[in-house]
Amino acid sequence: MPVASRPHDHPDTADITDPAGPAVRIRGLTRRYGTTTVLDGLDLDVEPGTVHALLGPNGAGKTTTVRIVATLLEPHGGTAHVAGHDVVRHATEARRRLGLVGQHAAVDEILGGRDNLVLFGRLSHLAARAARRRADELLDRFDLTDAADRPVGTYSGGMRRRLDLAAGLVLDPQVLLLDEPTTGLDPGGRREVWRAVRTLVDAGTAVLLTTQYLEEVDQLASQVSVLSQGRLAARGTPDELKASIGQDRLDVVVRHEADLPAAQAALDAVGTDIETDVATRRVTATVTDRVAALTHVVRTLDDQGVGVDDVVLRRPTLDEAFLHLTGAPPDTAASTGTPGTARTATSAVTEEAAR
Amino acid sequence: MTTATTTRPVAAVPSAGGPTWALRDAWAVTLRDLGHWRRQPWDLVIGLAFPILLLLMFGYLLGGAIDVPGGYIEFLFPGMLAVTMAFGLESTMTAVSQDVQRGVTDRFRSLPMSRSAVLLGRAVADMLSSTVGLVVLLVAGVAVGWRWHHGAGPALAAVGLLLLLRFAFLWLGIWLGLLFRGQGGVTAVQILVWPFAFLSNAFVPISTMPAWLEAVTAWNPITATIAATRDLFGNPTVAASGWAADHATLLAVVWPVVLVAVFGTLAVRRWQRLGR
């Protein structure tokens, strides 16, 4: 297996990077399946106490990255370190410092929540008593004490995910790998998971997150890496990514469909990229001078006696940023149903509501 | 923030190396399965009742029409024991493929535990459950009039051969479970074990079969175990001809050993290559 040369090439310390450095350190990571390169020289750091989100369409290499860092998959090139430990050469040391919460709730359905946590504690080589104590702590922390002895098969989706998260925390890992942790959860369950993740991050845990929900990125992540075909397409804070695609958007919703041409004309005078969604009677434009554009549109439509239901001046959504950066929507499940402008409009509403 | 992360007590946890940890971890994995028995005793009961049901069906419904010197139940019972051991393949495969599918295997592989413990624990758990199943079936056999006639030593040797057969099929089950993810593979195996079981001397003397079928059946690993256990228990055998029939006891040992060597190697290799 090819191993890239690294700065600390000393016989004893070659696999230990600076402990004060990033909790996850990925350099030149490459992975192929057959002849397809799914990961092509990725560099990435996750700092302690932060969430770094991986975004990208299906097959962009998100899950492959997580699986390599979790020691489940060997890289074909490059390196990954967890808390300074090489995931290939010192896999066990890396495993002792990472927790994995995958796409499925990887817990035993027949056993109870407590038995599951004790099992994973024992397999993490905690002594019997320590494993039981840790299980009780985690059950308490994730509000599962009442259900501790019920078979996991009877848990709700949200409870199961919380147990799954707890199972990833048995050794109080420095690095938590979350591979689509809220896929399939209802909004309530999703918020439960977000709250738990925030608490962990506040306590210093580094989180590498893949998700299909852009709202999740807005809620949790301080850094976002957008992957496209195994390469980094863009990186920054969620706000930076939104800003990178440029100007603000002005949405106008008219009361009567017949007034759509009037709204289009008004927006055309101050903005570009006019999009019209007949179903929601919404016209959207990209504007540069926020105040002038808003004033012009409101005054013009008012003068013409056009009934207006809503006017929204907003930053582009992550959905729009994502489309702009990769030319593809994120995984199909992320779209809120309808393609094109309608989807964008819906995300805008969710985004507003979340604030 | 960094100080908070570096003071975590993880370094106090001992390392994963060495055979002691492999055994300890394997036992923890075994205990998980024993936990299933405690949680869902009905699953266990149904699993135990199935071969008994087969025994009663073949013994009383079909057995009347099959004329074997010494009585059909006496002839059938060692066959039922061996077929039950071979069918253990299904439960092993189901458990392995479910764990892979549900991500439990990935969770195990991301823990600082011994790598071999997952397969070892599966083997121990399945051997324990098959031993219990075998004992229950032996009691049921005695209840319907089956006896062993050559004393405890040969009888225990027969039990040993049966468990050896189970052990061989266990590795086939692990390999198939790692190979075919999802219910489709399991269902296919659940169907295919039946012709496999019937292509043996379990239910009828193979001398009653057409010559070409007799030749195939004589080399079935189950046939060797059944012929050998019938000898050891002192149950009626129906003379068959050919090298395989003459060396049944030898084959009852060699076959499982070969199967373990082949499928054990394939299973372990498949396991090691999960991350490749």
Side-chain angles (χ1 to χ4, degrees):
Chain A
M1 207 209 62
V3 177
S5 68
R6 52 192 115 199
H8 301 272
D9 244 346
H10 184 272
D12 294 320
T13 56
D15 304 307
I16 316 284
T17 54
D18 181 6
V24 177
R25 184 174 179 276
I26 291 172
R27 290 293 176 273
L29 206 60
T30 300
R31 170 75 203 194
R32 292 176 296 275
Y33 287 108
T35 55
T36 316
T37 302
V38 288
L39 208 52
D40 194 2
L42 180 71
D43 293 345
L44 187 151
D45 287 339
V46 188
E47 299 297 334
T50 68
V51 176
H52 193 134
L54 289 178
L55 269 177
N58 269 331
K62 304 181 305 268
T63 295
T64 303
T65 306
V66 168
R67 288 182 65 82
I68 291 173
V69 177
T71 76
L72 297 178
L73 194 66
E74 288 181 5
H76 289 141
T79 57
H81 288 80
V82 169
H85 297 273
D86 187 296
V87 298
V88 176
R89 294 214 247 161
H90 292 253
T92 303
E93 291 303 308
R95 284 178 198 135
R96 285 163 61 181
R97 290 163 179 84
L98 67 85
L100 171 68
V101 180
Q103 291 179 13
H104 316 276
V107 284
D108 191 302
E109 306 244 317
I110 299 170
L111 298 180
R114 177 178 284 118
D115 288 348
N116 265 288
L117 294 178
V118 171
L119 170 70
F120 295 127
R122 293 293 277 157
L123 291 175
S124 304
H125 296 175
L126 293 177
R129 186 181 296 179
R132 279 197 299 273
R133 199 183 327 124
R134 185 68 182 147
D136 286 339
E137 276 169 25
L138 288 168
L139 289 167
D140 184 47
R141 185 152 135 207
F142 287 94
D143 263 337
L144 291 166
T145 305
D146 290 343
D149 295 313
R150 261 166 48 197
V152 174
T154 67
Y155 284 20
S156 72
M159 290 166 75
R160 212 177 288 207
R161 265 317 155 99
R162 274 184 281 150
L163 179 66
D164 197 35
L165 200 54
L169 297 175
V170 165
L171 281 189
D172 197 9
Q174 284 160 264
V175 172
L176 187 60
L177 305 168
L178 300 176
D179 194 7
E180 297 185 9
T182 62
T183 297
L185 285 188
D186 59 28
R190 196 166 297 157
R191 267 191 291 277
E192 286 173 27
V193 171
W194 288 346
R195 204 178 308 133
V197 170
R198 274 195 210 102
T199 309
L200 289 165
V201 170
D202 289 345
T205 307
V207 176
L208 182 60
L209 166 84
T210 79
T211 180
Q212 301 197 347
Y213 302 105
L214 295 158
E215 192 194 348
E216 191 156 287
V217 174
D218 258 342
Q219 289 282 324
L220 293 177
S222 53
Q223 282 284 304
V224 187
S225 289
V226 180
L227 299 189
S228 179
Q229 298 180 330
R231 289 165 177 276
L232 188 67
R235 171 169 295 157
T237 65
D239 282 340
E240 282 167 358
L241 286 188
K242 287 179 207 166
S244 75
I245 72 158
Q247 305 90 347
D248 293 291
R249 301 292 174 119
L250 183 57
D251 289 352
V252 174
V253 180
V254 294
R255 190 161 302 146
H256 304 291
E257 200 181 308
D259 290 329
L260 281 173
Q264 282 166 347
L267 281 167
D268 198 32
V270 291
T272 51
D273 301 333
I274 312 281
E275 287 173 19
T276 305
D277 186 37
V278 178
T280 56
R281 304 184 310 281
R282 179 187 298 262
V283 184
T284 301
T286 302
V287 295
T288 36
D289 188 339
R290 297 159 57 98
V291 176
L294 186 61
T295 315
H296 171 83
V297 168
V298 170
R299 186 172 294 157
T300 310
L301 293 179
D302 192 42
D303 286 350
Q304 296 174 359
V306 171
V308 174
D309 274 352
D310 201 2
V311 178
V312 182
L313 186 62
R314 59 179 173 85
R315 311 289 306 276
T317 63
L318 264 179
D319 264 328
E320 288 162 333
F322 189 88
L323 273 164
H324 179 79
L325 291 166
T326 66
D331 307 311
T332 32
S335 75
T336 35
T338 26
T341 51
R343 183 172 60 79
T344 308
T346 321
S347 321
V349 172
T350 358
E351 201 195 24
E352 298 297 329
R355 285 196 179 130
Chain B
M1 262 333 160
T2 24
T3 44
T5 59
T6 46
T7 54
R8 296 187 178 210
V10 72
V13 178
S15 75
T20 317
W21 282 113
L23 291 178
R24 226 203 72 165
D25 289 347
W27 183 239
V29 173
T30 305
L31 283 179
R32 170 189 172 215
D33 266 53
L34 301 190
H36 289 182
W37 297 9
R38 193 162 50 86
R39 285 280 178 179
Q40 297 198 334
W42 282 109
D43 277 13
L44 186 66
V45 170
I46 290 165
L48 294 173
F50 181 66
I52 295 174
L53 194 71
L54 281 185
L55 171 68
L56 298 178
M57 258 172 53
F58 278 95
Y60 292 110
L61 295 178
L62 307 178
I66 302 171
D67 188 27
V68 177
Y72 186 62
I73 292 274
E74 284 266 301
F75 172 83
L76 169 71
F77 191 65
M80 279 310 311
L81 294 174
V83 166
T84 305
M85 291 299 105
F87 280 12
L89 159 73
E90 292 173 28
S91 58
T92 302
M93 181 182 174
T94 306
V96 171
S97 74
Q98 265 186 6
D99 273 358
V100 171
Q101 220 185 338
R102 292 185 179 161
V104 175
T105 305
D106 278 349
R107 158 100 60 212
F108 284 150
R109 292 176 63 236
S110 76
L111 293 178
M113 62 184 285
S114 153
R115 278 276 155 131
S116 50
V118 179
L119 298 189
L120 207 57
R122 163 63 38 218
V124 174
D126 284 359
M127 288 310 292
L128 279 178
S129 84
S130 288
T131 306
V132 171
L134 194 58
V135 170
V136 170
L137 196 51
L138 285 167
V139 171
V142 170
V144 296
W146 167 82
R147 293 291 181 272
W148 62 90
H149 305 283
H150 294 337
L156 283 176
V159 167
L161 284 182
L162 290 163
L163 289 175
L164 183 64
L165 184 75
R166 173 69 182 96
F167 191 64
F169 278 86
L170 185 134
W171 289 103
L172 176 60
I174 291 177
W175 181 60
L176 290 173
L178 292 173
L179 204 58
F180 298 104
R181 298 165 188 194
Q183 188 55 38
V186 172
T187 308
V189 168
Q190 279 170 342
I191 293 167
L192 288 174
V193 291
W194 286 99
F196 186 71
F198 277 100
L199 283 174
S200 77
N201 58 349
F203 304 104
V204 291
I206 60 176
S207 53
T208 62
M209 297 177 184
W212 64 272
L213 206 55
E214 186 182 338
V216 173
T217 307
W219 285 96
N220 187 333
I222 306 183
T223 299
T225 301
I226 295 170
T229 48
R230 277 185 185 134
D231 264 354
L232 289 164
F233 284 135
N235 293 139
T237 50
V238 177
S241 53
W243 194 93
D246 292 343
H247 299 84
T249 308
L250 175 70
L251 281 179
V253 175
V254 170
W255 255 128
V257 169
V258 169
L259 291 175
V260 170
V262 172
F263 293 113
T265 308
L266 286 173
V268 169
R269 183 177 299 171
R270 181 90 201 155
W271 174 253
Q272 287 167 340
R273 295 186 70 86
L274 281 180
R276 296 280 168 81

